[in-house]
Amino acid sequence: MNYHAIRSIYQFEMARAWRTLLQSIIAPVISTSLYFIVFGAAIGSHMQEIDGVSYGAFIVPGLIMLSLLTQSVSNASFAIYFPKFTGTIYELLSAPISPLEIVVSYVGAAATKSVLLGLIILATAYLFVPLRVEHPVWMVLFLILTAITFSLLGFIIGIWADGFEKLQLVPLLIVTPLTFLGGSFYSITMLPPFWQTVALFNPVVYLVSGFRWSFFGVSDVDVTISVGMVIIFLILCLGVVTWIFKTGYRLKS
């Protein structure tokens, strides 16, 4: 394992995040704060508690997950697409660094940025609503696993995309809607029976539910199923990345 190469790419990507601090950190935090104000304060004051949790606190895990998913995908997809766009990916592929080391570098940096953002948003949430975290170890585990999984998805999108507009296609048209419909702002038990069944086909439901359980000990689905779904999606993404490097799919085009 070429740790020097991994560290160099990782540090470069992390440095880029600090150079674009407004876009990488400040903008998502401001957007999430607005959600707290609108949903937590304005609407939450008229909502009953859900499973014994105030509405303002109930939506915190969903808001963190919303930012985590979108930022993980965006960070990783842009990180690998930019070398393709500028042509420097040829130097990367010809360097004495393995595909595993490339993936660890880019995905690791993207996941790190997303986890830091999630923790910042969590700290911001304490300014708006009273919170408790009943299972902090599980919370961190969900944060890390989800960030790595969706950073891998973003890496795949960055390889697949042949234009900047495609980088935003999946986050805007798939990830964000699935997150909004995945119980971020409500419990799926509040839905009619038919739509509860439909909601269970949304993979984000399991992520939000498991993450919310780590806060309040309540969930829409069994937490072991949530963990299993994250691991399955992680394995699928790893399989696709492996196939990409074995076939060279769009790496040099």
Side-chain angles (χ1 to χ4, degrees):
M1 184 77 74
N2 190 340
Y3 294 104
H4 177 72
I6 293 175
R7 185 172 63 252
S8 297
I9 297 174
Y10 179 88
Q11 289 176 344
F12 176 82
E13 288 300 316
M14 292 302 295
R16 184 166 60 83
W18 300 123
R19 292 194 300 268
T20 57
L21 189 64
L22 179 63
Q23 178 184 352
S24 302
I25 303 294
I26 297 177
V29 170
I30 292 176
S31 298
T32 306
S33 299
L34 292 175
Y35 279 119
F36 282 128
I37 293 171
V38 174
F39 287 93
I43 298 178
S45 60
H46 301 285
M47 293 282 290
Q48 295 181 347
E49 292 185 346
I50 302 176
D51 294 326
V53 181
S54 67
Y55 184 73
F58 184 84
I59 65 174
V60 170
L63 288 175
I64 295 175
M65 194 60 66
L66 174 63
S67 296
L68 191 73
L69 301 188
T70 54
Q71 291 301 310
S72 294
V73 172
S74 298
N75 289 335
S77 60
F78 181 81
I80 193 60
Y81 176 78
F82 193 71
K84 287 179 56 183
F85 178 74
T86 59
T88 55
I89 194 169
Y90 299 108
E91 300 175 9
L92 183 65
L93 294 173
S94 61
I97 179 173
S98 68
L100 175 61
E101 291 161 350
I102 293 174
V103 174
V104 168
S105 304
Y106 282 105
V107 171
T112 300
K113 287 183 280 188
S114 299
V115 169
L116 289 174
L117 176 62
L119 294 175
I120 291 172
I121 291 175
L122 176 60
T124 305
Y126 277 99
L127 302 176
F128 294 92
V129 292
L131 277 177
R132 70 178 190 270
V133 181
E134 293 189 2
H135 308 283
V137 174
W138 280 102
M139 185 204 74
V140 174
L141 180 64
F142 268 108
L143 268 179
I144 294 174
L145 280 178
T146 304
I148 292 174
T149 301
F150 278 79
S151 293
L152 280 169
L153 176 62
F155 187 90
I156 294 168
I157 293 170
I159 296 294
W160 163 77
D162 54 9
F164 281 101
E165 66 281 355
K166 285 189 176 181
L167 291 179
Q168 299 300 320
L169 188 65
V170 174
L172 288 178
L173 298 183
I174 298 179
V175 175
T176 300
L178 285 179
T179 307
F180 273 95
L181 297 173
S184 295
F185 299 102
Y186 56 88
S187 169
I188 65 170
T189 58
M190 300 167 66
L191 300 173
F194 172 77
W195 291 110
Q196 288 184 37
T197 303
V198 172
L200 293 176
F201 288 93
N202 179 354
V204 178
V205 165
Y206 301 91
L207 305 179
V208 174
S209 177
F211 193 53
R212 183 171 286 130
W213 172 86
S214 71
F215 279 77
F216 311 118
V218 297
S219 62
D220 292 329
V221 296
D222 190 275
V223 67
T224 56
I225 298 177
S226 296
V227 175
M229 290 295 291
V230 177
I231 294 174
I232 289 172
F233 193 31
L234 175 62
I235 293 172
L236 288 174
C237 289
L238 284 173
V240 174
V241 170
T242 301
W243 174 81
I244 286 174
F245 280 101
K246 281 187 176 180
T247 61
Y249 174 76
R250 291 200 174 183
L251 285 174
K252 298 181 181 180
S253 61

